Amino acid sequence: MKLLQRSLVARIIASLLAISGMAFISITLTMAMSNSSRGDAAAINVAGSLRMNAYQIMGALQRLEYAPEKTSEEQLERLISRFDQRLHGTTLQQTIPLDDRHERRRQLEKLQNYWQHSLRPALEAPAAATTLDLDTLEMMIVAMVSDIEVLVTYLEQSTEAKVRLLGMMQLLFLALIAIVVSIALYDARHNLVVPLRQLMVLAREAAQRNFKPRSELRGSDELALLGHTFNKMSAELATSYAALEDKVSRKKQELERSNQALRVMHDASRSLYGGGNDLCSSAAPMLRELEKLLDIGPIRLSLNDPFDQREMPVLETHSRTRPEYCRDQECHACLIDPRPLEMVSNNQSQCLLLPISVGDTLLGTLEVWYHQERLNDSTRRLLTMLADQLATAVYLQRRIEEQQHVTLINERTIIARELHDSLAQSLSYLKMQVARLERMQQKDATREMQAEVFDELRTGLNSAYRQLRELLTTFRLKLEGPGLQSALRQTVEEFSQRMEITVELDYDVPPYLLNPNEEIHVLQIIREALANTHKHSQAHWAAVTVHFADARLLVRIEDDGIGLEDDSSPPMHYGLVIIRDRTTTLNGELSITNRPAGGASIEIAFTPLTARLIQQQPVTAASDSHLGTGAP
């Protein structure tokens, strides 16, 4: 009973079993009643036939009385024998109960006894027709027929009783089945349909993220247990969903902070990479904004001295005193909000050390102080990106400073070499002529001899002045232009105006291929060659070609002038000596020939130092050399 009260499935199964059981019992009883009534119709027919035989015997007696013939006697005997067989046959015996107290059994035995002891002996006696008159026999047969009708009545009543009982049983089981079905439908409606509808409503509300409705099912069946479980699940889902929304909200805030931090770092990258060596003005504002966004601080940046590897602090977002390295006494960038320092001193913050390194080179350390709460992964990644950005900025700054220093030294070396190769030699020559003139005056030389020395001094001074102007023009071109190509354009325009002819320029060289020394030599070679063209060639057209191919730089200066007297050995003028000397310095090859179409051609071919470095050194070294020389 407790199981039926608790289990809806058990109640439904019990209802189905009850309905099936009652239907089975009804069918079984119906079959039993049908089997018990199987011989009743035959018994009624036999009893009716006994009554018919009785009347036939009476008719046979009447015919025998009026026409005593042998056939009539034989017919009477057959009728008596048939009556006896039917009266004592199995049909009546099987349908009538064996109980002697049963009225049908007593009536049948009464008929059998009356037939066996009274009527049959009277009919079979030889003198039946004489000993008993016909009226007596007819009365006996009528009495027999009356008893047979009583037996038939008993048999009909018995059959009718069975039919009525079968009908009552069918009605009873139908009523019981209807009651069980009604109870099952009521139970299914109130304990299955209604709870299922309520659960469907709860499921739809849960699908709409509404976890407030609760099941009101009472009891201990499956649906009630499902309702209780659904209530518990809704409460857990509401809690989980609220936690997830809170987590998503926090993640969204973290992403927004990360996005803002990335934007700050991106916006500060230009000033950070191009702000020179003043990290206080370029990096400090970015670090303070990151402190506000990420709720961290203070932040301290310390760099290693590249010479003695001594660690020195270069930047601190919060400080009580001005740092010793400070170069701007009007700046108060570090003296802002000392409260984070108080948290550090009270052990309310923790420190995260991040290396400022490029490859295996440790440039410094970034100290990031934060609250004792654990830093999330996104903040750690942002701080790592910040350390990498600062490392790149510091590394590029040092490389730029080194390159500026190397460039300055190269420029000074180039100027010193040019002065030594040109103006210094001319001045030495003039000094020797002055010493010669002094000796001549001491010996009272003639004016003609002194005039010759004066002419050489005048010629030397003019040459020195011309060389000084060439050097000034060359250095001015170099300093004002953004490279060799710009300087060559100005040189071509200058000589086009001086010679009043067209000087063409064909320049095809990748940027940053030549170092400053090589650029000066190429520029001086071209200027010297164009100067010789202006003085000696009488040309109406000139062209300058500078090409780079197969790791070699080709420089060609050609014109359509009178050309050279001897193609194999051109005259060694002062300008050609300078060109040959500079070509030797470049480790190049010099070729001076006449053009087939007329005029002269000077070709210089050499391998630039940068190209040789690319071919000889590995990729990493080449990359470092590019970074050092400013190549892309």
Side-chain angles (χ1 to χ4, degrees):
M1 292 298 293
K2 291 183 179 180
L3 179 62
L4 290 177
Q5 292 177 357
R6 294 180 180 178
S7 176
L8 178 63
V9 176
R11 293 201 300 270
I12 294 175
I13 294 175
S15 301
L16 294 177
L17 290 178
I19 294 171
S20 301
M22 285 186 290
F24 178 75
I25 294 172
S26 175
I27 293 172
T28 303
L29 292 176
T30 300
M31 293 178 63
M33 293 295 294
S34 299
N35 289 331
S36 65
S37 301
R38 184 175 298 173
D40 291 349
I44 294 173
N45 291 332
V46 170
S49 64
L50 287 176
R51 185 174 51 187
M52 182 63 67
N53 286 343
Y55 287 123
Q56 289 176 353
I57 291 172
M58 184 180 296
L61 288 175
Q62 290 176 356
R63 287 193 297 273
L64 184 61
E65 181 180 2
Y66 293 106
E69 295 178 357
K70 185 177 181 179
T71 56
S72 299
E73 293 178 359
E74 293 176 354
Q75 185 179 8
L76 180 61
E77 291 177 357
R78 288 197 300 273
L79 293 173
I80 292 172
S81 176
R82 184 186 300 171
F83 188 87
D84 184 70
Q85 291 177 357
R86 292 181 177 178
L87 183 61
H88 293 85
T90 57
T91 302
L92 289 176
Q93 296 295 331
Q94 291 177 353
T95 56
I96 294 177
L98 298 178
D99 189 7
D100 294 337
R101 293 174 296 179
H102 200 277
E103 56 184 5
R104 282 177 292 169
R105 173 58 64 178
R106 291 198 303 267
Q107 185 66 24
L108 178 61
E109 290 178 353
K110 178 181 178 182
L111 283 173
Q112 290 177 349
N113 292 328
Y114 184 77
W115 167 260
Q116 193 69 25
H117 297 93
S118 299
L119 184 56
R120 182 175 181 179
L123 293 175
E124 291 180 349
T130 57
T131 56
L132 294 174
D133 55 1
L134 184 59
D135 295 334
T136 303
L137 290 174
E138 290 179 357
M139 291 180 61
M140 293 176 66
I141 291 172
V142 170
M144 184 70 179
V145 169
S146 298
D147 291 335
I148 291 172
E149 289 180 353
V150 172
L151 178 61
V152 171
T153 302
Y154 285 159
L155 291 176
E156 290 178 351
Q157 291 177 354
S158 175
T159 302
E160 291 176 357
K162 290 179 180 180
V163 172
R164 285 195 298 272
L165 178 61
L166 181 61
M168 292 177 63
M169 289 173 53
Q170 294 292 334
L171 292 175
L172 175 62
F173 281 106
L174 182 62
L176 292 176
I177 290 173
I179 293 172
V180 173
V181 169
S182 300
I183 294 174
L185 290 176
Y186 179 82
D187 188 31
R189 175 177 176 79
H190 290 275
N191 297 317
L192 179 62
V193 177
V194 174
L196 281 178
R197 290 178 179 174
Q198 187 176 358
L199 291 176
M200 287 296 296
V201 172
L202 295 179
R204 285 194 296 268
E205 292 295 329
Q208 299 296 328
R209 300 178 182 177
N210 183 15
F211 304 106
K212 294 182 180 179
R214 293 291 183 267
S215 171
E216 299 179 356
L217 300 179
R218 300 292 182 267
S220 56
D221 57 6
E222 289 85 351
L223 292 180
L225 180 61
L226 182 60
H228 299 328
T229 305
F230 195 92
N231 291 339
K232 183 178 179 182
M233 181 188 69
S234 297
E236 293 177 354
L237 284 176
T239 304
S240 301
Y241 194 76
L244 286 176
E245 285 185 341
D246 182 65
K247 187 175 181 180
V248 168
S249 177
R250 285 188 283 106
K251 287 292 183 182
K252 184 179 178 181
Q253 294 177 0
E254 291 179 4
L255 289 176
E256 290 178 354
R257 288 199 300 268
S258 300
N259 188 23
Q260 293 177 2
L262 289 174
R263 188 181 298 111
V264 169
M265 288 191 290
H266 176 267
D267 295 339
S269 60
R270 181 176 300 177
S271 60
L272 186 63
Y273 294 147
N277 57 359
D278 190 8
L279 287 175
C280 186
S281 61
S282 59
M286 175 186 67
L287 296 180
R288 280 193 290 271
E289 285 194 49
L290 291 178
E291 286 181 350
K292 294 179 182 178
L293 290 175
L294 303 179
D295 193 18
I296 57 176
I299 299 177
R300 179 184 302 167
L301 176 62
S302 301
L303 297 180
N304 296 335
D305 193 325
F307 300 102
D308 56 6
Q309 297 300 319
R310 177 174 55 89
E311 187 178 86
M312 55 182 181
V314 297
L315 177 62
E316 188 172 0
T317 56
H318 302 276
S319 178
R320 290 188 177 91
T321 59
R322 189 180 301 278
E324 296 180 359
Y325 62 86
C326 184
R327 295 173 296 175
D328 186 3
Q329 296 298 318
E330 300 297 329
C331 176
H332 302 280
C334 298
L335 307 176
I336 297 177
D337 191 10
R339 285 179 296 175
L341 299 176
E342 298 175 359
M343 298 177 65
V344 172
S345 60
N346 296 331
N347 294 326
Q348 297 179 357
S349 298
Q350 297 181 4
C351 181
L352 175 65
L353 295 179
L354 296 173
I356 305 298
S357 60
V358 175
D360 297 332
T361 304
L362 182 62
L363 302 177
T365 305
L366 183 67
E367 298 180 15
V368 181
W369 294 86
Y370 61 95
H371 299 296
Q372 292 184 355
E373 298 179 358
R374 181 177 178 271
L375 282 178
N376 53 47
D377 295 335
S378 61
T379 303
R380 287 182 178 272
R381 287 193 295 269
L382 287 173
L383 293 177
T384 303
M385 292 175 58
L386 173 63
D388 294 339
Q389 189 176 14
L390 292 175
T392 304
V394 172
Y395 179 76
L396 290 177
Q397 175 183 315
R398 290 187 177 180
R399 298 296 291 179
I400 290 171
E401 291 176 354
E402 293 175 1
Q403 180 61 27
Q404 290 176 350
H405 182 68
V406 171
T407 302
L408 180 60
I409 294 176
N410 289 335
E411 291 289 344
R412 291 176 178 177
T413 303
I414 291 170
I415 293 173
R417 180 186 178 116
E418 293 296 327
L419 290 175
H420 176 270
D421 292 344
S422 57
L423 190 58
Q425 292 180 3
S426 298
L427 292 177
S428 297
Y429 173 75
L430 292 176
K431 183 178 180 181
M432 293 172 60
Q433 295 298 326
V434 170
R436 178 186 173 189
L437 181 61
E438 289 178 351
R439 287 196 300 270
M440 292 177 68
Q441 287 180 354
Q442 290 176 359
K443 294 180 180 181
D444 296 330
T446 62
R447 293 180 59 88
E448 288 79 8
M449 296 177 62
Q450 292 182 12
E452 182 181 355
V453 175
F454 279 119
D455 291 338
E456 292 181 359
L457 285 173
R458 189 179 297 107
T459 303
L461 285 174
N462 291 333
S463 177
Y465 181 69
R466 183 182 65 82
Q467 292 176 7
L468 179 60
R469 284 189 305 168
E470 291 288 337
L471 288 175
L472 290 176
T473 303
T474 300
F475 294 140
R476 187 178 297 112
L477 290 173
K478 180 61 181 176
L479 292 176
E480 291 180 357
L484 178 61
Q485 185 177 8
S486 176
L488 289 179
R489 284 200 183 99
Q490 296 182 39
T491 299
V492 167
E493 292 177 359
E494 175 189 348
F495 279 93
S496 296
Q497 294 175 1
R498 288 170 59 181
M499 294 188 292
E500 297 181 352
I501 64 173
T502 301
V503 180
E504 298 178 357
L505 174 63
D506 184 6
Y507 186 89
D508 186 10
V509 179
Y512 307 106
L513 177 68
L514 304 177
N515 59 38
N517 191 27
E518 292 171 339
E519 289 182 352
I520 289 295
H521 283 305
V522 171
L523 180 61
Q524 287 287 51
I525 288 172
I526 294 174
R527 290 186 63 85
E528 193 65 38
L530 291 177
N532 288 338
T533 300
H534 175 53
K535 292 178 182 178
H536 308 293
S537 68
Q538 301 177 11
H540 299 86
W541 169 86
V544 177
T545 303
V546 183
H547 279 190
F548 178 76
D550 298 330
R552 289 177 67 82
L553 186 71
L554 174 65
V555 180
R556 181 187 300 117
I557 305 97
E558 52 187 345
D559 58 68
D560 61 350
I562 60 176
L564 302 172
E565 296 179 359
D566 189 357
D567 193 17
S568 60
S569 60
M572 297 306 293
H573 295 290
Y574 182 73
L576 292 179
V577 172
I578 294 177
I579 292 175
R580 188 176 299 276
D581 181 62
R582 292 185 182 276
T583 304
T584 303
T585 303
L586 293 173
N587 294 323
E589 300 173 358
L590 175 63
S591 174
I592 303 176
T593 60
N594 285 323
R595 297 173 65 246
S601 173
I602 300 177
E603 290 187 2
I604 299 96
F606 68 96
T607 301
L609 181 61
T610 306
R612 290 202 296 274
L613 288 175
I614 294 174
Q615 292 176 353
Q616 295 174 2
Q617 296 186 0
V619 176
T620 55
S623 300
D624 291 343
S625 66
H626 282 181
L627 288 175
T629 58

